[in-house]
Amino acid sequence: MKNWAGNLDYSAASVVRPESVEELAVLVGSASARGARVKALGSRHCFNDVADTDGVQVVLDRLPGPVEVDARRRVARVGGGLTYGELGTALEREGWALHNMASLPHISVAGAVQTGTHGSGISSPALASAVKAVELVRASGDVERLDEGDGEFAGSVVGLGALGIVTALELAIEPSYQVRQQVFENLPWETVLADYDGVAGDGYSVSLFTDYAGDAVPQVWRKVRADAAEAGRAVDRSSDFHGAVPATRPRHPLPGMSAENCTQQLGVPGPWLDRLPHFRHEFTPSAGEELQTEYLLPRRYAAEALAAVRRLAGELAPLLFVSEVRTVAADELWLSPAYRQDSIALHFTWRPQQAQVEALLPELEAALAPFGARPHWGKLFAVPSAEFRALYPRFEEFRDLVAKRDPEGTFRNAYLDRVLGA
């Protein structure tokens, strides 16, 4: 079995699909008792071995769990195996929404939360910030629930699968809303570097797509909420966006690619779940033929960091399909790459040349190191364990939490050994 990109062969001795939480709890407890390792596998959209194991691979797609909306508390209970596309469809039917979505709605909710995945928006924190409660199976086989405010909650939501297998989450929801999406072309780099916050904050979500070469950013994807509360604050940019001109036809982030699997553009209003992602849920994304890396760093360093990456444009070009530049608001989750910092996120979509990409990463990371860049946990990076202590103020507390909750290493794997230290 391979991951989504096809660059990783999973090494599990067996794969199981439990049909109840009780069955999963027995499976985990039994494996732990005999010294075997267990790991949950989501939608396989990680580009590294964060979800790999040499023991039992658990897939949660058969766990029961319809979306349960509590309108009074404004939360929705969601099964761990559900994807964001499935969740969004269920919420929209009942008139509810999430604050944000990732660019790809095909990823699983639990997997995205555990790895700190995010969407885009200068005032929108990562997907995990919506979590109000998490239910998980511990290494002992016990089923536990942590609510926001509990002592271990902030250390467990983005948990890298190290603390248990997430079976359900409660997420904050809000009334459904409409979004308009428009693509602009050729935004001058001079404008971006002079006032990145002004550009990134001019919309509910703003993404730049670039190869860092030339004098202009080829594409800007701007998403604006169309509900009454937000529409009054959004400047009409239908004819111009800080010097960029509107695209006259739907666009794909990759030059020359068909836009048929992208969400509706050209300013046509539509439901949040059909505009916040870049790609449509009803289209299965192509597997493979790309690799991904991403770094989050304090937004106050945006201009300096972008200038540093632009200086590497000649070295990036042979390996890069495209890079997306986004914003993420700060949160309080210990291992969130946006922990206590309003962030700029630099996402790199690479050609499928892993050896060459991995050889380049140390140079790219060195260029971003002065700004405290934190890598996305589910993508390719070269940052060594020793550096995470400086990047994450609560890193040692997380390591202690892992030792407390999984003393025998039931959920450990090679990835966690590298990140946390053996």
Side-chain angles (χ1 to χ4, degrees), residues 62 64 209 253 319 335 381:
R62 293 183 185 173
F209 287 96
L319 297 175
L335 286 197
F381 61 87

Side-chain angles (χ1 to χ4, degrees), residues 113-192:
V113 165
Q114 282 282 291
T115 55
T117 298
H118 59 88
S120 178
I122 207 162
S123 300
S124 294
L127 303 179
S129 70
V131 177
K132 297 299 179 183
V134 56
E135 299 172 20
L136 67 170
V137 176
R138 300 291 195 184
S140 62
D142 295 330
V143 181
E144 295 188 13
R145 174 187 169 103
L146 295 171
D147 289 280
E148 187 176 34
D150 290 345
E152 296 181 6
F153 178 84
S156 302
V157 175
V158 181
L160 310 184
L163 299 168
I165 295 180
V166 175
T167 57
L169 298 153
E170 281 192 358
L171 305 178
I173 56 176
E174 59 186 86
S176 179
Y177 52 90
Q178 297 270 301
V179 173
R180 292 183 289 107
Q181 176 173 234
Q182 191 170 11
V183 175
F184 296 86
E185 300 176 327
N186 298 318
L187 172 66
W189 267 114
E190 182 180 12
T191 301
V192 176

Side-chain angles (χ1 to χ4, degrees), residues 140-375:
S140 62
D142 295 330
V143 181
E144 295 188 13
R145 174 187 169 103
L146 295 171
D147 289 280
E148 187 176 34
D150 290 345
E152 296 181 6
F153 178 84
S156 302
V157 175
V158 181
L160 310 184
L163 299 168
I165 295 180
V166 175
T167 57
L169 298 153
E170 281 192 358
L171 305 178
I173 56 176
E174 59 186 86
S176 179
Y177 52 90
Q178 297 270 301
V179 173
R180 292 183 289 107
Q181 176 173 234
Q182 191 170 11
V183 175
F184 296 86
E185 300 176 327
N186 298 318
L187 172 66
W189 267 114
E190 182 180 12
T191 301
V192 176
L193 298 178
D195 185 15
Y196 177 75
D197 279 7
V199 170
D202 195 353
Y204 189 68
S205 166
V206 175
S207 292
L208 313 182
F209 287 96
T210 179
D211 60 3
Y212 296 100
D215 296 326
V217 174
Q219 291 187 33
V220 180
W221 290 42
R222 183 193 190 223
K223 304 169 195 275
V224 178
R225 283 181 63 151
D227 51 312
E230 293 290 332
R233 291 196 286 267
V235 176
D236 180 12
R237 299 287 186 187
S238 56
S239 60
D240 173 89
F241 183 82
H242 300 268
V245 298
T248 57
R249 58 182 176 83
R251 298 300 305 271
H252 189 286
L254 296 183
M257 292 286 289
S258 168
E260 68 172 336
N261 65 344
C262 296
T263 48
Q264 176 72 54
Q265 302 164 24
L266 302 177
V268 178
W272 59 281
L273 73 161
D274 293 331
R275 297 294 184 277
L276 292 181
H278 298 331
F279 299 98
R280 295 164 62 181
H281 181 240
E282 61 267 31
F283 279 82
T284 301
S286 60
E289 300 194 2
E290 68 177 51
L291 302 169
Q292 293 183 14
T293 293
E294 186 171 34
Y295 303 95
L296 280 73
L297 52 103
R299 204 178 71 235
R300 64 183 180 275
Y301 298 134
E304 297 165 86
L306 288 169
V309 177
R310 289 190 75 207
R311 287 193 287 272
L312 298 176
E315 296 172 69
L316 298 174
L319 297 175
L320 189 65
F321 276 129
V322 75
S323 176
E324 181 179 8
V325 181
R326 295 175 282 182
T327 51
V328 187
D331 60 51
E332 290 293 320
L333 304 173
W334 295 1
L335 286 197
S336 168
Y339 176 74
R340 292 191 175 177
Q341 65 180 34
D342 291 326
S343 300
I344 178 174
L346 308 180
H347 183 281
F348 301 85
T349 300
W350 307 106
R351 300 180 186 277
Q353 301 175 39
Q354 186 154 345
Q356 295 91 325
V357 169
E358 290 182 340
L360 178 63
L361 290 183
E363 184 177 2
L364 177 58
E365 291 176 359
L368 296 174
F371 315 113
R374 298 167 175 169

